[in-house]
Amino acid sequence: MLWLIIPGILLLLCLLPLGIGAVYGKQGPKVYLIIWKVKIPLYPRKPKKEKPQKEKTPKKNSGNTSRQEKKQEASRWKEKKLSEEAKTEAFTGKEKESSEEAKQEEDALWDFEKLKTLLHLIVPFLGDLRRKIRITRLQGYLLLAGGDPCDLAVNYGRAWAALGNLQALLSRAFVIKKQDLQVGCDFAGDNTLFYGRADITITLGRLLGLVLRYGWKLLKSTKMKKGGGVK
Protein backbone atom coordinates (compact mmCIF):
# COMPACT_ATOMS: atom_id res chain seq x y z
CA MET A 1 0.00 0.00 0.00
CA LEU A 2 2.94 2.35 0.58
CA TRP A 3 3.79 2.48 -3.12
CA LEU A 4 0.26 3.79 -3.75
CA ILE A 5 0.19 6.32 -0.89
CA ILE A 6 3.44 8.11 -1.80
CA PRO A 7 2.48 8.84 -5.46
CA GLY A 8 -0.94 9.98 -4.26
CA ILE A 9 0.63 12.45 -1.82
CA LEU A 10 2.99 13.75 -4.53
CA LEU A 11 0.06 14.18 -6.91
CA LEU A 12 -1.90 16.15 -4.32
CA LEU A 13 1.12 18.37 -3.69
CA CYS A 14 1.48 19.05 -7.41
CA LEU A 15 -2.18 20.09 -7.54
CA LEU A 16 -1.81 22.37 -4.51
CA PRO A 17 -2.54 25.99 -5.53
CA LEU A 18 -0.13 28.68 -4.37
CA GLY A 19 -0.42 32.38 -4.97
CA ILE A 20 -0.68 35.91 -3.73
CA GLY A 21 -3.60 38.25 -3.20
CA ALA A 22 -4.15 41.93 -2.61
CA VAL A 23 -7.08 43.96 -1.30
CA TYR A 24 -7.64 47.70 -1.21
CA GLY A 25 -10.54 49.04 0.82
CA LYS A 26 -11.48 51.22 3.77
CA GLN A 27 -8.68 49.79 5.94
CA GLY A 28 -6.02 50.46 3.30
CA PRO A 29 -3.95 48.01 1.25
CA LYS A 30 -3.50 44.41 2.36
CA VAL A 31 -1.33 41.68 0.86
CA TYR A 32 -1.57 38.00 1.75
CA LEU A 33 -0.08 34.67 0.71
CA ILE A 34 -2.47 31.98 -0.56
CA ILE A 35 -1.83 28.28 0.16
CA TRP A 36 -4.90 26.39 -1.02
CA LYS A 37 -7.68 27.99 1.08
CA VAL A 38 -5.39 29.38 3.77
CA LYS A 39 -4.50 33.09 3.63
CA ILE A 40 -1.37 34.24 5.44
CA PRO A 41 -1.15 38.04 5.87
CA LEU A 42 2.07 39.63 4.61
CA TYR A 43 1.25 43.33 4.81
CA PRO A 44 0.57 45.14 7.06
CA ARG A 45 2.46 43.21 9.70
CA LYS A 46 1.13 42.86 13.19
CA PRO A 47 2.94 45.13 15.65
CA LYS A 48 5.23 43.25 18.00
CA LYS A 49 4.65 43.56 21.70
CA GLU A 50 7.48 45.41 23.36
CA LYS A 51 8.92 43.67 26.38
CA PRO A 52 9.32 45.84 29.49
CA GLN A 53 12.96 46.69 30.03
CA LYS A 54 14.44 45.77 33.35
CA GLU A 55 15.91 48.61 35.33
CA LYS A 56 19.63 48.22 35.75
CA THR A 57 20.81 48.61 39.31
CA PRO A 58 23.97 50.72 39.56
CA LYS A 59 26.95 48.73 40.65
CA LYS A 60 28.86 49.81 43.71
CA ASN A 61 32.32 51.22 43.11
CA SER A 62 34.97 49.01 44.60
CA GLY A 63 38.74 49.16 44.27
CA ASN A 64 41.57 51.56 44.77
CA THR A 65 42.12 54.75 42.77
CA SER A 66 45.50 53.51 41.66
CA ARG A 67 43.96 50.59 39.89
CA GLN A 68 41.52 52.89 38.12
CA GLU A 69 44.36 55.11 36.92
CA LYS A 70 46.23 52.10 35.57
CA LYS A 71 43.12 50.97 33.73
CA GLN A 72 42.66 54.42 32.22
CA GLU A 73 46.26 54.49 31.00
CA ALA A 74 45.86 51.01 29.49
CA SER A 75 42.66 52.03 27.69
CA ARG A 76 44.38 55.15 26.30
CA TRP A 77 47.25 53.05 25.01
CA LYS A 78 44.81 50.65 23.36
CA GLU A 79 42.92 53.51 21.71
CA LYS A 80 46.14 54.94 20.33
CA LYS A 81 47.19 51.57 18.96
CA LEU A 82 43.76 50.95 17.40
CA SER A 83 43.81 54.37 15.70
CA GLU A 84 47.20 53.55 14.13
CA GLU A 85 45.92 50.17 12.94
CA ALA A 86 42.80 51.82 11.50
CA LYS A 87 44.97 54.21 9.46
CA THR A 88 46.97 51.33 7.98
CA GLU A 89 43.79 49.37 7.25
CA ALA A 90 42.25 52.40 5.53
CA PHE A 91 45.35 52.78 3.34
CA THR A 92 45.33 49.11 2.36
CA GLY A 93 41.54 49.23 1.91
CA LYS A 94 41.88 51.99 -0.70
CA GLU A 95 44.35 49.86 -2.64
CA LYS A 96 41.94 46.90 -2.50
CA GLU A 97 39.03 49.05 -3.68
CA SER A 98 41.03 50.32 -6.65
CA SER A 99 41.98 46.75 -7.63
CA GLU A 100 38.37 45.61 -7.25
CA GLU A 101 37.14 48.47 -9.43
CA ALA A 102 39.64 47.49 -12.11
CA LYS A 103 38.43 43.89 -12.00
CA GLN A 104 34.81 45.03 -12.28
CA GLU A 105 35.66 47.08 -15.36
CA GLU A 106 37.37 44.06 -16.91
CA ASP A 107 34.35 41.82 -16.16
CA ALA A 108 31.79 44.33 -17.48
CA LEU A 109 31.61 42.72 -20.93
CA TRP A 110 31.22 39.26 -19.41
CA ASP A 111 28.42 40.56 -17.17
CA PHE A 112 26.64 41.94 -20.24
CA GLU A 113 26.88 38.55 -21.94
CA LYS A 114 25.31 36.97 -18.87
CA LEU A 115 22.54 39.55 -18.97
CA LYS A 116 21.80 38.75 -22.62
CA THR A 117 21.57 35.05 -21.76
CA LEU A 118 19.19 35.77 -18.93
CA LEU A 119 17.01 38.01 -21.11
CA HIS A 120 16.69 35.27 -23.73
CA LEU A 121 15.27 33.02 -21.01
CA ILE A 122 13.31 35.51 -18.89
CA VAL A 123 11.06 36.70 -21.72
CA PRO A 124 9.72 33.23 -22.69
CA PHE A 125 9.61 32.27 -19.01
CA LEU A 126 7.29 35.19 -18.27
CA GLY A 127 5.15 34.27 -21.28
CA ASP A 128 4.76 30.67 -20.08
CA LEU A 129 4.12 31.86 -16.52
CA ARG A 130 1.37 34.16 -17.76
CA ARG A 131 -0.37 31.21 -19.42
CA LYS A 132 0.00 28.98 -16.35
CA ILE A 133 -1.28 31.34 -13.65
CA ARG A 134 -4.96 31.78 -12.86
CA ILE A 135 -6.76 34.84 -11.56
CA THR A 136 -9.20 33.11 -9.24
CA ARG A 137 -10.93 36.33 -8.17
CA LEU A 138 -10.94 39.82 -9.65
CA GLN A 139 -13.17 42.45 -8.08
CA GLY A 140 -13.33 46.20 -8.57
CA TYR A 141 -15.97 48.72 -7.53
CA LEU A 142 -15.67 52.41 -8.38
CA LEU A 143 -18.23 54.80 -6.94
CA LEU A 144 -17.93 58.21 -8.56
CA ALA A 145 -19.00 61.35 -6.71
CA GLY A 146 -18.95 65.04 -7.51
CA GLY A 147 -20.77 68.32 -7.22
CA ASP A 148 -21.71 68.82 -10.88
CA PRO A 149 -24.16 66.15 -12.19
CA CYS A 150 -23.16 66.80 -15.83
CA ASP A 151 -19.44 66.24 -15.16
CA LEU A 152 -20.29 63.18 -13.12
CA ALA A 153 -22.30 61.68 -15.98
CA VAL A 154 -19.44 62.32 -18.43
CA ASN A 155 -16.93 60.71 -16.07
CA TYR A 156 -19.29 57.78 -15.60
CA GLY A 157 -19.34 57.11 -19.34
CA ARG A 158 -15.57 57.44 -19.62
CA ALA A 159 -15.06 55.05 -16.72
CA TRP A 160 -17.24 52.37 -18.33
CA ALA A 161 -15.40 52.79 -21.65
CA ALA A 162 -12.01 52.40 -19.93
CA LEU A 163 -13.33 49.42 -17.99
CA GLY A 164 -14.49 47.72 -21.18
CA ASN A 165 -11.03 48.10 -22.75
CA LEU A 166 -9.39 46.82 -19.55
CA GLN A 167 -11.63 43.74 -19.43
CA ALA A 168 -10.78 42.87 -23.03
CA LEU A 169 -7.03 43.14 -22.36
CA LEU A 170 -7.22 41.07 -19.18
CA SER A 171 -9.33 38.33 -20.76
CA ARG A 172 -6.81 38.00 -23.60
CA ALA A 173 -3.79 37.95 -21.32
CA PHE A 174 -4.98 35.80 -18.39
CA VAL A 175 -7.44 33.09 -17.45
CA ILE A 176 -9.96 34.70 -15.07
CA LYS A 177 -12.33 32.45 -13.13
CA LYS A 178 -14.39 35.01 -11.22
CA GLN A 179 -14.68 38.61 -12.39
CA ASP A 180 -16.83 41.44 -11.05
CA LEU A 181 -15.97 44.98 -12.17
CA GLN A 182 -18.52 47.74 -11.75
CA VAL A 183 -18.84 51.53 -11.87
CA GLY A 184 -21.48 53.53 -10.02
CA CYS A 185 -22.52 57.12 -9.35
CA ASP A 186 -23.30 58.91 -6.11
CA PHE A 187 -24.79 62.32 -6.85
CA ALA A 188 -25.09 63.13 -3.14
CA GLY A 189 -21.56 62.06 -2.19
CA ASP A 190 -18.46 64.22 -1.95
CA ASN A 191 -15.64 61.65 -2.27
CA THR A 192 -15.02 59.00 -4.92
CA LEU A 193 -14.68 55.54 -3.37
CA PHE A 194 -12.88 52.44 -4.66
CA TYR A 195 -12.61 48.80 -3.63
CA GLY A 196 -10.39 46.26 -5.37
CA ARG A 197 -9.34 42.67 -4.86
CA ALA A 198 -7.23 40.27 -6.92
CA ASP A 199 -6.18 36.66 -6.15
CA ILE A 200 -3.55 35.10 -8.43
CA THR A 201 -2.65 31.40 -8.07
CA ILE A 202 -0.61 28.69 -9.77
CA THR A 203 -0.36 25.01 -8.91
CA LEU A 204 2.85 23.73 -7.37
CA GLY A 205 3.31 21.20 -10.19
CA ARG A 206 3.16 23.86 -12.91
CA LEU A 207 5.54 26.11 -11.02
CA LEU A 208 8.07 23.32 -10.49
CA GLY A 209 7.78 22.35 -14.16
CA LEU A 210 8.62 25.89 -15.27
CA VAL A 211 11.52 26.21 -12.83
CA LEU A 212 13.05 22.88 -13.86
CA ARG A 213 12.57 23.54 -17.57
CA TYR A 214 14.14 26.99 -17.66
CA GLY A 215 16.70 26.14 -14.98
CA TRP A 216 17.96 23.33 -17.23
CA LYS A 217 18.09 25.72 -20.21
CA LEU A 218 20.09 28.25 -18.19
CA LEU A 219 22.51 25.59 -16.97
CA LYS A 220 22.91 24.23 -20.49
CA SER A 221 23.60 27.66 -22.00
CA THR A 222 26.22 28.54 -19.35
CA LYS A 223 27.98 25.20 -19.86
CA MET A 224 28.10 25.72 -23.63
CA LYS A 225 29.58 29.22 -23.18
CA LYS A 226 32.23 27.94 -20.79
CA GLY A 227 33.13 25.17 -23.21
CA GLY A 228 33.34 27.57 -26.13
CA GLY A 229 30.29 26.24 -27.95
CA VAL A 230 27.77 28.32 -29.82
CA LYS A 231 24.25 28.55 -28.50
Side-chain angles (χ1 to χ4, degrees), residues 133-144:
I133 63 176
R134 299 289 182 265
I135 300 178
T136 56
R137 179 176 291 184
L138 181 63
Q139 291 178 327
Y141 306 112
L142 180 63
L143 185 62
L144 298 172

Side-chain angles (χ1 to χ4, degrees), residues 123-136:
V123 174
F125 173 78
L126 292 176
D128 287 345
L129 181 63
R130 176 182 60 83
R131 289 186 286 269
K132 298 292 183 184
I133 63 176
R134 299 289 182 265
I135 300 178
T136 56

Side-chain angles (χ1 to χ4, degrees), residues 25-161:
K26 290 182 179 179
Q27 298 178 355
K30 292 182 180 179
V31 182
Y32 49 87
L33 182 68
I34 301 171
I35 302 176
W36 192 38
K37 293 184 179 181
V38 180
K39 296 175 183 177
I40 303 170
L42 298 176
Y43 178 85
R45 294 183 178 180
K46 293 181 179 179
K48 295 181 179 180
K49 294 181 180 179
E50 294 182 357
K51 295 181 180 180
Q53 295 181 355
K54 295 181 179 179
E55 295 182 356
K56 295 181 178 179
T57 57
K59 295 181 179 180
K60 294 181 180 179
N61 293 325
S62 60
N64 297 326
T65 56
S66 59
R67 291 181 181 177
Q68 291 179 357
E69 290 176 357
K70 288 180 180 179
K71 287 180 180 178
Q72 288 177 359
E73 289 179 1
S75 62
R76 288 173 188 170
W77 181 78
K78 285 181 181 178
E79 287 176 0
K80 188 177 180 182
K81 190 174 181 182
L82 288 172
S83 63
E84 291 176 356
E85 290 178 356
K87 288 179 181 178
T88 54
E89 286 178 359
F91 180 74
T92 55
K94 287 180 181 179
E95 292 181 350
K96 288 180 181 179
E97 286 178 0
S98 60
S99 61
E100 287 176 359
E101 288 177 358
K103 287 181 180 179
Q104 287 177 359
E105 289 177 358
E106 290 176 359
D107 295 339
L109 291 174
W110 174 241
D111 292 337
F112 182 71
E113 292 296 326
K114 287 182 180 179
L115 180 61
K116 284 202 302 184
T117 305
L118 288 174
L119 287 175
H120 283 303
L121 292 174
I122 286 172
V123 174
F125 173 78
L126 292 176
D128 287 345
L129 181 63
R130 176 182 60 83
R131 289 186 286 269
K132 298 292 183 184
I133 63 176
R134 299 289 182 265
I135 300 178
T136 56
R137 179 176 291 184
L138 181 63
Q139 291 178 327
Y141 306 112
L142 180 63
L143 185 62
L144 298 172
D148 191 355
C150 295
D151 292 340
L152 187 58
V154 172
N155 293 330
Y156 178 76
R158 289 175 179 173
W160 268 115

